[in-house]
Amino acid sequence: MENVFCGVDLGGTTINIGMVSPHGDIVAKRKIPSGVKKGVDYVVDQIDKVLYECNGSEAKEYKTVGLGIGVAGLVDANRGILKEATNFPGWRNVPLAAKLEDKLQLPVTLDNDANVAALGENSFGAGRGHAHMMMVTLGTGVGAGLILDGMIYRGAWGAAGEFGHITIKKDGRLCACGRLGCVEAYVGANGIVQEALENLDNYPGSTLRHYDPEVLMPKDIYNEAVKGDELALTVFKNVGENLGYGLGSVVNLLNLQRFVVGGGVALAGDLLINSAQEKLREVALNNSEEPVRIIKASLGEQSGIVGAASLAMAAI
Ligand SMILES: [Zn+2]
């Protein structure tokens, strides 16, 4: 009987659960409403039910030997405690790993979603074969997970990887964190829109002028860029450069081999990545044996399940 590892991606609205082989193949998966408002015991029961169901059907030829779980929140990974999570009302200092272990009689490992995604890409995705890498998730926020020596680097109290709040500009734009000049203020979804709005007057012929500035989204700017709008193209060039400044500093500090970029905004893909890559080459000290490359994440929507399962694999 081959072993499988259960990967759980616990979100505010849904839970994605999958059984993953040691080669990274998903042999069974389910998606259920998360019910976090009903409390932790309810959620633990739901996960137990799904596991039981999978073990009786698609996964019945396999033996489940561990469970990994990723949560969007502040996690004490060593103690398996979810300290707090914005989308989980009432959940504070929840010993989630211990509760699951009691119920399922399996070793359980817990971490935050950024670290889980990074480990998944490192084990089975675009970062495979690179023991020193960082995964950057671009969306409204800019999250990151660091893999050093093939392992998640969590820092002194689990707060490592806050790439989005590295300062890239003195007295720069106001960031959601309340500080000035952070990467996120330039590369996050709002930063991209702001980049367009700030440059609108310099491009009187831009199609972006037809959009309501109140509801302009990065997706709109991307669509116009694809059609060749000069302002839209400039926005992604500038945003990419700002990303490259940040990544260059990280390379100089940590001698990484790869950056894996995922998340909603990463759909802008090549536009953003080419510009970031160029700036990174300029900012990074020329001391590497191989060029540091920025590549797109490859696990897509499976990343939560596969990443969480790889967390369980790493714990054994
Ligand atoms: Zn910030």
Side-chain angles (χ1 to χ4, degrees), residues 164-165 175-179 182 184:
H165 304 285
C175 179
C177 73
R179 294 153 66 249
C182 295
E184 187 173 298

Side-chain angles (χ1 to χ4, degrees), residues 296-309:
K296 276 183 262 185
S298 67
L299 294 178
E301 57 182 24
Q302 313 298 354
S303 124
I305 288 176
V306 174

Side-chain angles (χ1 to χ4, degrees), residues 17-19 26-31 50 54 58 301-302 305:
I17 304 176
M19 318 293 266
I26 298 176
V27 301
K29 67 173 174 175
R30 298 284 188 279
K31 184 178 191 168
V50 169
C54 289
E58 300 105 300
E301 57 182 24
Q302 313 298 354
I305 288 176

Side-chain angles (χ1 to χ4, degrees), residues 15-248:
I15 311 178
N16 281 296
I17 304 176
M19 318 293 266
V20 181
S21 83
H23 315 291
D25 302 315
I26 298 176
V27 301
K29 67 173 174 175
R30 298 284 188 279
K31 184 178 191 168
I32 57 169
S34 87
V36 288
K37 287 191 188 116
K38 296 180 184 167
V40 60
D41 292 327
Y42 175 81
V43 169
V44 167
D45 280 347
Q46 293 300 103
I47 295 172
D48 179 47
K49 270 186 203 153
V50 169
L51 230 69
Y52 184 79
E53 193 189 304
C54 289
N55 283 329
S57 53
E58 300 105 300
K60 69 170 177 293
E61 305 294 321
Y62 300 88
K63 180 171 189 273
T64 309
V65 291
L67 180 141
I69 177 164
V71 191
L74 191 60
V75 167
D76 180 339
N78 290 331
R79 294 191 297 151
I81 290 175
L82 174 57
K83 294 205 267 191
E84 58 176 76
T86 323
N87 296 324
F88 294 43
W91 291 47
R92 280 190 79 86
N93 295 319
V94 173
L96 186 56
K99 279 183 176 286
L100 281 164
E101 278 181 353
D102 281 351
K103 184 82 185 180
L104 309 171
Q105 297 297 307
L106 282 175
V108 173
T109 324
L110 169 73
D111 211 325
N112 72 58
D113 57 344
N115 287 344
V116 163
L119 189 65
E121 289 290 340
N122 182 244
S123 306
F124 300 110
R128 204 169 182 169
H130 300 288
H132 309 278
M133 57 157 266
M134 184 168 89
M135 166 140 188
V136 183
T137 306
L138 300 177
T140 306
V142 174
L146 265 174
I147 304 292
L148 301 180
D149 280 325
M151 290 183 292
I152 295 172
Y153 180 77
R154 300 182 173 97
W157 47 81
E162 289 292 359
F163 170 68
H165 304 285
I166 284 181
T167 309
I168 51 168
K169 190 155 190 160
K170 178 177 181 281
D171 299 329
R173 280 186 201 152
L174 178 65
C175 179
C177 73
R179 294 153 66 249
L180 299 176
C182 295
V183 168
E184 187 173 298
Y186 293 87
V187 178
N190 293 332
I192 294 174
V193 171
Q194 203 171 335
E195 190 70 36
L197 298 179
E198 282 176 7
N199 286 293
L200 222 46
D201 289 344
N202 302 328
Y203 293 83
S206 171
T207 46
L208 289 175
R209 295 172 72 92
H210 305 150
Y211 287 82
D212 176 357
E214 295 291 313
V215 293
L216 185 66
M217 307 276 284
K219 188 163 58 69
D220 303 323
I221 305 172
Y222 173 70
N223 289 338
E224 296 306 326
V226 170
K227 289 187 227 157
D229 184 79
E230 215 181 317
L231 170 57
L233 287 166
T234 305
V235 167
F236 282 107
K237 181 171 177 288
N238 293 350
V239 169
E241 283 182 359
N242 286 324
L243 176 61
Y245 272 116
L247 298 180

Side-chain angles (χ1 to χ4, degrees), residues 286-308:
N286 191 16
N287 61 2
S288 56
E289 292 176 14
E290 50 165 335
V292 183
R293 286 183 53 213
I294 307 171
I295 45 181
K296 276 183 262 185
S298 67
L299 294 178
E301 57 182 24
Q302 313 298 354
S303 124
I305 288 176
V306 174

